[in-house]
Amino acid sequence: IILILYMIIAATFTFAKAALNHMPPLLFIGIRMSIAGVLLLLFEYVRMRFFAQPRAMPRYHKQMVLLLLKTALFHIFLTYYFEFEALGYVT
């Protein structure tokens, strides 16, 4: 199983390199993160709607949303940006 996981991770670099030939890194990251965000929101909706106790959707505090945005910007977006920017220079 570990070998298969490493093969999948290696395949993502090949896919990313091919995708970077057709679009800039910022657009690629934006599309990738938007799709991931929609999938996570859909998962949360389905989980809350069908598998949890019947209750209202959770409310998020302003500080929590700000912390999430900071985490998304610095931990996810910038790291992927530098990774894919460097990948553009690899032959």
Side-chain angles (χ1 to χ4, degrees):
I1 292 178
I2 293 174
L3 182 63
I4 293 171
L5 288 174
Y6 277 117
M7 290 168 54
I8 291 171
I9 291 171
T12 61
F13 287 105
T14 307
F15 172 72
K17 178 67 176 168
L20 288 175
N21 290 331
H22 302 287
M23 66 182 80
L26 286 177
L27 179 63
F28 180 64
I29 295 167
I31 291 171
R32 184 177 172 182
M33 294 301 128
S34 296
I35 292 170
V38 167
L39 288 175
L40 286 172
L41 287 173
L42 182 65
F43 171 77
E44 182 67 16
Y45 174 77
V46 168
R47 187 182 71 82
M48 292 297 292
R49 177 90 166 110
F50 298 110
F51 298 109
Q53 296 291 332
R55 60 181 176 214
M57 293 293 283
R59 296 184 184 213
Y60 299 106
H61 299 289
K62 185 178 177 182
Q63 292 175 343
M64 192 165 127
V65 172
L66 188 61
L67 183 62
L68 180 65
L69 289 175
K70 286 179 186 178
T71 303
L73 176 68
F74 291 109
H75 182 66
I76 297 171
F77 186 75
L78 285 179
T79 56
Y80 279 122
Y81 174 73
F82 290 128
E83 176 185 341
F84 290 132
E85 188 68 35
L87 192 59
Y89 293 102
V90 175
T91 58

